[in-house]
Amino acid sequence: MLSYSVSSQLGLDMEELQDMEEDAGLGNGGLGRLAACFLDSMATLGLAAYGYGIRYEFGIFNQKVVNGWQVEEADDWLRYGNPWEKARPEYMRPVHFYGRVEHNPDGVKWVDTQVILALPYDTPVPGYRNNIVNTMRLWSAKAPCEFHLKDFNVGGYIQAVLDKNLAENISRVLYPNDNFFEGKELRLKQEYFVVAATLQDIIRRFKASKFGSTEVVRMDLTTLPDKVRQLGSSLFHVNTLDCREHSTQFVSYLVVNGVAQIHSDIIKDTVFKDFYDVDPQKFQNKTNGITPRRWLVMCNPGLAEVIAEPLSYLKSLLKFVDDDALIRDIAKVKQENKMKFAVLLEEQCNVKINPNSMFDVQVKRIHEYKRQLLNCLHIITLYNRIKKEPNKAWTPRTIMIGGKAAPGYHTAKMIIKLITAIGEVVNNDSVVGDRLKVIFLENYRVTLAEKVIPAADLSEQISTAGTEASGTGNMKFMLNGALTIGTMDGANVEMAEEAGEENLFIFGMRVKDVEALDKKGYDAMEYYNRIPELKQVIDQISGGFFSPGEPDQFKDIVKMLMRHDRFKVFADYEDYIKCQEKVSALYKNTKEWTKMVIHNIAGCGKFSSDRTIAQYAREIWGMEPSLEKIAAPDDPR
């Protein structure tokens, strides 16, 4: 990458160049971002690693919001090429589909297959100041150029070319579902394609390399497991009573691990209980992490400078938790980040917000289990309270919600429409003014996350207990000085342990409470009839208060909440509202709020992906990580 000094000499603005670069279409939601963090950490820890995937021509769609509705546009991220990749046609591998099996005297053969070539593109993954560069290898599908003469003779040339394009559809587009099994033929072909090509490549490299020499070919595969370790991510749709979704990490030798302690416990207690009872030593926990290079040093340099500590030493910040200078500096950085983000929103979205208000942020995929609807109920409750007592000294809030809905997920799309409809009413009410604003952040993606997360005061992590495997957005907000309001779910549990539960705003049911409610039977009407403010909110949504031109617009959402809500939004409503009152009260005391922020930043050390990968390396792969650094060119020698 060009340095700032070189770019300025060329008359180029570095930040403008960075904004022009497309987000790479490599993955979907948190799982794709987690893989990127893992690659960064493996290179930084000096572990020889390849990251394999598909080179999708079109990544996750670009989201536009038109009249409050999500509209999908193609993410043509490769239209101007990709300067960081290099095609490696010399390592192209054939992948076979379809065909039939022939049993002959000399053995079994797979014949009459459709062959698709897997063309690799390599992207360098540099470690942090250690002179190590690993490789991310992405496969692109190419049809072989084998036109049979008979096709030309009968005028089949055009069809042959069309069939070629059909074959290349395998790497054309990323399926836009996060944490969801897509049982489509093309999706299954994609999975087989990447696995088949990758295994061939692993075996090719194993055979071609013996003790660092490419002259001797290794033909005996018995030592392959000693030389190669694999880390994969696989999704399971579990038909429990509430159809919860879990993601599980699998590694070589059939070791199974969850990605947060609570997730690992659920795997052992319910999902894979029978396997655990038979072979408990194969089950481990590896809590996810985030790379501090991107999610602190790069996206929040002001805070990184104030902290001036590597993540492994963050606990030492606690010695200065009462230090007025540190409190002032951290609050100042946060306010600067908020001002920058407010300017960005005004420039790009034509939305003016109060930078002195609390920035209350929930950004993640739109999904019922993540409970953006619970956030909506709080917004309307707060709106009703301000309308009822307009002269009260309310803590001003700007509530931002962002995320993409899978194109075929009707309820998720309705949730986006509801958020924007609530914003229309709230933002145009002169009685409310700038004490409450509701913003839907369009096209949430990594580059937007790098701007909104450093600006956030409050991080919403409010999934139903037992439904979020880990979460990593929660860690990014914590590291960047936002306080968490959340349930005891995923990595929130360990965040509360590291920072002290009193330094997070924890509310709602625990996993055991959810299980008990399942056994008893969840009755939404009981909460609706018992809690007047909740009844008022639901009546407003169902009665068309937020959709006056179409009173029945949100009837499906209300029906779901009242009759078949798997994620029990009403059960946590009361405690959530009370917890939000504590948030508002504390925010008025900048010093005490910032002291709580310092406790959270100091507790972030565990959530580095360097720690996660070091655990994988030592406890599963049998490798020793290294944090040895080399001097930077500008360091004094």
Side-chain angles (χ1 to χ4, degrees):
M1 184 176 277
L2 287 168
S3 69
Y4 276 86
S5 57
V6 172
S7 64
S8 61
Q9 287 170 24
L10 294 171
L12 303 170
D13 181 87
M14 194 62 177
E15 289 188 2
E16 198 175 315
L17 279 175
Q18 287 173 336
D19 287 341
M20 288 170 68
E21 186 174 6
E22 295 279 350
D23 284 38
L26 302 180
N28 223 316
L31 290 174
R33 187 57 248 170
L34 177 70
C37 288
F38 280 1
L39 287 179
D40 177 270
S41 286
M42 284 190 278
T44 296
L45 291 172
L47 299 170
Y50 268 70
Y52 284 99
I54 293 177
R55 181 179 177 267
Y56 295 106
E57 188 178 330
F58 294 92
I60 178 101
F61 61 87
N62 285 319
Q63 180 195 57
K64 299 285 183 200
V65 177
V66 180
N67 297 323
W69 294 101
Q70 171 177 296
V71 175
E72 299 90 26
E73 292 185 353
D75 173 23
D76 191 7
W77 73 286
L78 289 170
R79 65 189 176 281
Y80 299 125
N82 177 5
W84 307 114
E85 70 181 10
K86 176 171 172 50
R88 304 300 299 271
E90 65 272 30
Y91 297 128
M92 196 147 54
R93 310 306 303 169
V95 177
H96 295 257
F97 290 90
Y98 306 113
R100 57 192 174 81
V101 175
E102 272 187 359
H103 294 268
N104 299 315
D106 56 340
V108 177
K109 282 187 179 178
W110 185 14
V111 297
D112 296 338
T113 59
Q114 179 191 94
V115 178
I116 294 176
L117 299 175
L119 170 64
Y121 286 78
D122 287 356
T123 301
V125 181
Y128 183 66
R129 292 190 167 187
N130 64 358
N131 216 24
I132 287 170
V133 179
N134 283 341
T135 300
M136 177 175 69
R137 177 160 286 179
L138 303 178
W139 299 105
S140 182
K142 298 290 174 192
C145 295
E146 295 171 0
F147 297 102
H148 297 295
L149 196 58
K150 64 180 177 63
D151 291 333
F152 289 95
N153 292 340
V154 297
Y157 169 72
I158 297 295
Q159 192 57 49
V161 175
L162 293 178
D163 289 346
K164 176 184 188 296
N165 287 338
L166 210 61
E168 294 177 356
N169 280 344
I170 283 180
S171 60
R172 194 81 67 203
V173 64
L174 169 71
Y175 273 82
N177 290 303
D178 192 50
N179 286 335
F180 180 77
F181 175 74
E182 184 78 51
K184 300 279 175 67
E185 182 185 5
L186 176 58
R187 180 68 191 131
L188 294 173
K189 286 174 81 171
Q190 287 178 337
E191 291 179 356
Y192 174 72
F193 174 76
V194 71
V195 170
T198 298
L199 287 175
Q200 288 184 74
D201 200 51
I202 288 169
I203 292 168
R204 176 197 60 77
R205 284 193 290 114
F206 173 80
K207 284 182 175 180
S209 172
K210 186 168 186 181
F211 309 115
S213 168
T214 56
E215 295 170 9
V216 183
V217 176
R218 194 194 271 126
M219 295 305 295
D220 181 5
L221 297 181
T222 53
T223 59
L224 178 66
D226 301 324
K227 300 293 181 185
V228 178
R229 297 288 187 270
Q230 292 181 49
L231 168 65
S233 178
S234 180
L235 298 178
F236 283 87
H237 191 79
V238 183
N239 284 315
T240 52
L241 284 174
D242 58 354
C243 295
R244 292 178 301 213
E245 287 164 348
H246 300 275
S247 70
T248 306
Q249 298 288 342
F250 279 78
V251 286
S252 54
Y253 297 124
L254 295 179
V255 174
V256 179
N257 65 270
V259 291
Q261 191 59 58
I262 188 173
H263 181 227
S264 297
D265 292 341
I266 289 169
I267 286 169
K268 291 187 285 191
D269 295 342
T270 58
V271 182
F272 293 138
K273 185 179 188 306
D274 293 343
F275 291 106
Y276 176 71
D277 290 342
V278 170
D279 210 348
Q281 74 272 13
K282 285 187 177 176
F283 287 76
Q284 300 188 8
N285 175 66
K286 299 284 173 281
T287 299
N288 282 340
I290 56 171
T291 166
R293 268 76 60 183
R294 178 170 293 271
W295 294 109
L296 178 65
V297 177
M298 201 194 94
C299 75
N300 201 344
L303 183 60
E305 196 175 328
V306 168
I307 294 170
E309 293 282 2
L311 256 64
S312 51
Y313 300 110
L314 279 180
K315 286 278 189 212
S316 61
L317 281 176
L318 291 177
K319 292 184 288 189
F320 306 100
V321 73
D322 294 311
D323 183 273
D324 286 340
L326 180 66
I327 292 168
R328 187 175 59 249
D329 288 346
I330 285 181
K332 182 169 177 279
V333 167
K334 179 61 71 177
Q335 196 56 37
E336 286 170 355
N337 290 336
K338 290 173 71 173
M339 294 288 287
K340 274 189 210 168
F341 193 67
V343 169
L344 180 88
L345 277 183
E346 192 165 357
E347 284 175 357
Q348 296 187 359
C349 312
N350 200 26
V351 174
K352 194 168 181 63
I353 58 173
N354 174 11
N356 296 313
S357 64
M358 180 201 306
F359 283 15
D360 173 345
V361 182
Q362 186 181 20
V363 282
K364 51 187 76 249
R365 290 303 287 269
I366 308 295
H367 199 294
E368 288 163 82
Y369 89 86
K370 293 180 185 286
R371 297 203 297 190
Q372 285 91 355
L373 284 173
L374 183 57
N375 196 343
C376 288
L377 300 188
H378 170 246
I379 295 170
I380 301 170
T381 303
L382 199 51
Y383 171 76
N384 289 337
R385 288 181 176 184
I386 294 170
K387 292 284 283 182
K388 190 177 178 182
E389 297 181 86
N391 297 320
K392 191 175 173 182
W394 298 100
T395 301
R397 281 194 195 225
T398 300
I399 299 175
M400 305 178 210
I401 303 175
K404 295 175 182 178
Y409 190 176
H410 171 72
T411 303
K413 287 189 156 183
M414 287 304 305
I415 290 170
I416 292 174
K417 177 62 177 173
L418 178 62
I419 295 163
T420 57
I422 293 167
E424 279 292 311
V425 171
V426 171
N427 299 344
N428 293 300
D429 194 317
S430 57
V431 173
V432 174
D434 65 0
R435 289 176 291 186
L436 181 61
K437 292 288 181 195
V438 181
I439 311 292
F440 186 83
L441 296 172
E442 187 177 84
N443 203 32
Y444 181 64
R445 61 204 184 282
V446 172
T447 45
L448 185 55
E450 289 167 348
K451 294 178 173 68
V452 68
I453 290 173
D457 292 305
L458 187 68
S459 161
E460 301 264 354
Q461 307 295 333
I462 57 178
S463 53
T464 313
T467 61
E468 188 74 83
S470 166
T472 50
N474 45 6
M475 303 168 187
K476 293 164 193 169
F477 281 101
M478 184 187 190
L479 180 58
N480 281 275
L483 297 185
T484 300
I485 182 166
T487 50
M488 277 298 200
D489 195 27
N492 293 359
V493 177
E494 289 156 86
M495 286 163 52
E497 287 171 3
E498 295 296 310
E501 193 173 326
E502 69 280 4
N503 292 307
L504 279 75
F505 299 101
I506 298 295
F507 73 93
M509 297 178 289
R510 275 38 174 190
V511 170
K512 295 296 181 194
D513 300 323
V514 175
E515 289 171 353
L517 191 52
D518 276 329
K519 284 177 186 168
K520 174 190 164 195
Y522 170 65
D523 179 13
M525 284 299 294
E526 184 262 315
Y527 301 93
Y528 173 81
N529 291 324
R530 181 172 59 79
I531 307 167
E533 280 190 307
L534 175 61
K535 184 179 188 302
Q536 181 187 3
V537 168
I538 295 302
D539 289 350
Q540 285 171 297
I541 297 171
S542 63
F545 184 83
F546 298 102
S547 54
E550 197 177 334
D552 291 337
Q553 187 162 66
F554 301 115
K555 69 178 188 312
D556 287 349
I557 283 182
V558 173
K559 184 178 172 185
M560 182 274 291
L561 286 171
M562 299 291 281
R563 296 188 197 171
H564 48 89
D565 176 13
R566 297 176 293 158
F567 304 104
K568 305 171 181 63
V569 169
F570 289 4
D572 277 341
Y573 168 83
E574 210 167 16
D575 204 19
Y576 180 55
I577 299 297
K578 285 177 185 169
C579 198
Q580 288 283 20
E581 290 168 5
K582 292 179 193 169
V583 172
S584 292
L586 185 68
Y587 190 74
K588 289 180 176 177
N589 188 332
T590 304
K591 184 171 184 178
E592 290 306 310
W593 178 278
T594 309
K595 282 167 76 170
M596 198 180 277
V597 165
I598 293 169
H599 276 281
N600 274 266
I601 296 170
C604 272
K606 176 178 181 176
F607 304 109
S608 166
S609 51
D610 294 352
R611 185 268 314 150
T612 310
I613 289 299
Q615 286 183 327
Y616 276 112
R618 290 191 177 111
E619 297 168 26
I620 299 176
W621 304 333
M623 301 169 72
E624 189 55 38
S626 166
L627 277 169
E628 191 176 327
K629 297 281 177 282
I630 60 169
D634 54 344
D635 282 353
R637 302 268 170 177

